[in-house]
Amino acid sequence: MKPVPFEYRRAGSVAEACAWRAEDPEAVLIAGGQTLMPMLAMRLVRPTRVIDIARIPDLDAIRVAADHVLLGATTRQAAAERSRIVAKEVPLLARALPWIGHPPTRRRGTIGGSIANADPAAEIPLVAVALGAEIMIAGAADGTASLPAAAFFLAPMVTALPAGAMVTGLRFPRPARRRFGTGFAEIARRHGDFALAAAAVTLMLDEAGAIDMISVAIGGAAPVPTRLDLAALIGTRPTEDAIAAALAAALAPLEMMADGHASGAYRRRAAARLARAAIAEARSEAAGREGTDDHAAS
Amino acid sequence: MTTLPLEVNGRAWLVEVEDRASLLDCLRDVLGLHGTHAGCEHGVCGTCTILLDGAPVRACLMLAAQADGHAITTIEGVAPRPGEMSLVQDAFCETHGLQCGYCTPGMVLTAEALLAANPAPSRAEIIAAISGNLCRCTGYGQIVEAIQLAAERRRGANIPAVETAP
Ligand code: FES
Ligand code: FES
């Protein structure tokens, strides 16, 4: 297996990467290469130029600001998995990362690569949608600097990234209060295989234990990671049955993918079960936390 | 073509490779290090595993051109001396941790990295570490045994846990 011949260039800055790409419509970006390399080997991608962004200074960084945490696009998945900042501030991502591939692929694979690739079964896009992350971009002709994750994924492997633009990072809102919980559940043939369905949950409870905020997104099931409408659960302390009913109602109108691995009906059922498990996990975690505020102490 | 400085098994090389060459092809075809096996060549099997700065990665999933500035270890680099085997390699022989041997370089390197970082891994940790490496012969049982045996001997030999790259 050999890729088509291409020219390799290593970019020293985001501006340089964007300029080189603008020169050549057949150019592609590489960082970790854990998806691009197989596609090159199988000649599903036939670029004339491969622009390496992995060593652009500053793109490989995890930074905390007052209201968000920024993960640079070339942050390795393994580095995020080990990061104390991610564990504390983006615990849902920390939960999801071990599900991606295997240790050797996480060692090279990047946060931004998974976003730009937009595989419907990928964990990082799912978490981005569940948490309402902003996808930071550069090089858009109209100057767009970011897009909300919910508007970014359009179809399998298709994103709203403007032509000529590149993903530079992922901005996650910091959890606003301590009484929050997260949950993540996934089913795949074997660990590390593509998810047949997955669910990512973040929620907050009020003092009385009622659900104050809930965000549940499903991946691997619909053509893009999709946040479910669960407004019916807000302000309630729902029973298992009420949660199951709300999930069924939210999943009913969604189109599910169907392929040789699983039918649409299977994916809908699995998504509902996984979402229930992830909600239960998030709820018990939230219930175990003190109800006090905030990042002041952190 | 690119001329590229590479550090492989502690030696510095200047290699000339095509831009499109994977690190796997470079190791095998340019440097003649055939111990790094080419299996699927698209990231599925793990037999091309090498250590990049001490951590296992798939050599078919990176370009050779991306590998400069990293310390690369291949299976040829684990034995202490010519004619000898590493503790992990010995353990694989003794427990019948290999049959056809195709997966073995990747398995051994993955085990070397695991034991360097974690001298007393649990069975679950061993299984997680080799989860990305397929073996079509052994059924994995003896491979897990081999790594357990190597861990035990390493501890017995008081080999200190080395600082692997993060
Ligand atoms: S040859 Fe690299 S993973 Fe199979
Ligand atoms: S020994 Fe044959 S593949 Fe593992």
Side-chain angles (χ1 to χ4, degrees):
Chain A
M1 274 192 198
K2 299 287 168 277
V4 297
F6 55 73
E7 170 205 17
Y8 169 87
R9 287 196 185 189
R10 186 177 291 169
S13 67
V14 168
E16 190 169 52
C18 290
W20 284 347
R21 195 152 62 146
E23 279 167 28
D24 180 353
E26 302 297 319
V28 295
L29 302 183
I30 193 168
Q34 302 301 285
T35 303
L36 183 60
M37 286 295 290
M39 304 217 318
L40 289 171
M42 292 185 276
R43 300 200 174 190
L44 296 172
V45 180
R46 299 164 159 265
T48 47
R49 179 184 285 181
V50 172
I51 302 165
D52 192 353
I53 61 166
R55 298 199 201 189
I56 296 177
D58 283 355
L59 277 192
D60 179 2
I62 300 174
R63 287 199 197 89
V64 188
D67 62 343
H68 69 260
V69 175
L70 176 71
L71 276 77
T74 63
T75 305
R76 307 283 174 186
Q77 292 154 9
E81 197 180 343
R82 278 191 318 270
S83 158
R84 296 230 183 106
I85 296 173
V86 172
K88 179 158 180 281
E89 303 290 346
V90 202
L92 182 58
L93 181 63
R95 278 209 151 104
L97 285 164
W99 289 89
I100 303 171
H102 301 283
T105 63
R106 296 200 291 276
R107 172 83 184 178
R108 296 285 303 159
T110 63
I111 297 288
S114 176
I115 292 289
N117 187 50
D119 191 296
E123 288 82 0
I124 295 170
L126 172 61
V127 169
V129 168
L131 292 178
E134 279 287 304
I135 291 160
M136 311 308 292
I137 65 177
D142 63 359
T144 307
S146 76
L147 289 165
F152 189 78
F153 304 104
L154 302 180
M157 332 302 272
V158 180
T159 71
L161 191 66
M166 65 177 268
V167 174
T168 58
L170 200 49
R171 222 154 110 158
F172 290 99
R174 295 178 70 184
R177 298 192 326 195
R178 290 258 183 87
R179 211 140 192 241
F180 75 98
T182 60
F184 189 89
E186 174 171 322
I187 184 163
R189 293 252 155 165
R190 295 162 303 190
H191 186 100
D193 282 6
F194 288 104
L196 299 173
V201 175
T202 181
L203 55 71
M204 285 185 211
L205 300 180
D206 67 16
E207 304 306 318
I211 291 176
D212 220 11
M213 183 284 289
I214 182 164
S215 173
V216 177
I218 57 158
V224 292
T226 307
R227 188 173 164 177
L228 302 181
D229 178 5
L230 295 173
L233 298 178
I234 303 288
T236 70
R237 301 176 59 169
T239 60
E240 274 289 309
D241 288 349
I243 291 171
L247 286 169
L251 285 163
L254 299 182
E255 179 205 340
M256 293 285 139
M257 295 188 294
D259 53 31
H261 301 293
S263 67
Y266 173 88
R267 285 192 157 94
R268 197 183 308 276
R269 223 167 43 233
R273 287 292 287 271
L274 294 165
R276 264 165 67 182
I279 291 171
E281 186 183 15
R283 237 176 143 189
S284 71
E285 185 183 84
R289 276 182 215 261
E290 292 301 311
T292 52
D293 239 62
D294 197 357
H295 341 114
S298 61
Chain B
M1 294 293 257
T2 310
T3 306
L4 196 68
L6 284 189
E7 187 198 322
V8 184
N9 300 329
R11 284 181 60 182
W13 300 87
L14 210 53
V15 297
E16 213 177 299
V17 286
E18 275 190 282
D19 286 16
R20 64 172 165 168
S22 68
L23 179 58
L24 173 63
D25 285 347
C26 173
L27 291 170
R28 290 178 59 86
D29 301 343
V30 182
L31 293 177
L33 297 171
H34 297 141
T36 306
H37 287 170
C40 65
E41 295 181 79
H42 64 281
V44 176
C45 69
T47 191
C48 67
T49 302
I50 52 135
L51 304 184
L52 194 73
D53 301 325
V57 305
R58 294 175 173 355
C60 71
L61 290 191
M62 59 188 288
L63 295 170
Q66 294 183 293
D68 61 307
H70 293 289
I72 296 161
T73 307
T74 69
I75 192 67
E76 289 87 350
V78 302
R81 254 163 243 100
E84 288 183 22
M85 286 196 285
S86 79
L87 220 140
V88 173
Q89 287 173 309
D90 260 332
F92 268 73
C93 294
E94 285 179 44
T95 60
H96 298 279
L98 64 150
Q99 288 178 27
C100 79
Y102 214 75
C103 69
T104 312
M107 289 287 185
V108 167
L109 285 164
T110 303
E112 297 276 5
L114 172 69
L115 298 184
N118 179 359
S122 66
R123 193 182 154 79
E125 285 169 331
I126 293 172
I127 290 171
I130 62 169
S131 67
N133 295 63
L134 298 182
C135 175
R136 297 290 81 154
C137 303
T138 63
Y140 303 102
Q142 296 111 289
I143 293 176
V144 174
E145 256 174 62
I147 299 172
Q148 284 169 329
L149 177 63
E152 206 179 294
R153 290 204 177 139
R154 245 174 155 272
R155 291 196 300 273
N158 281 329
I159 299 172
V162 291
E163 190 67 28
T164 44

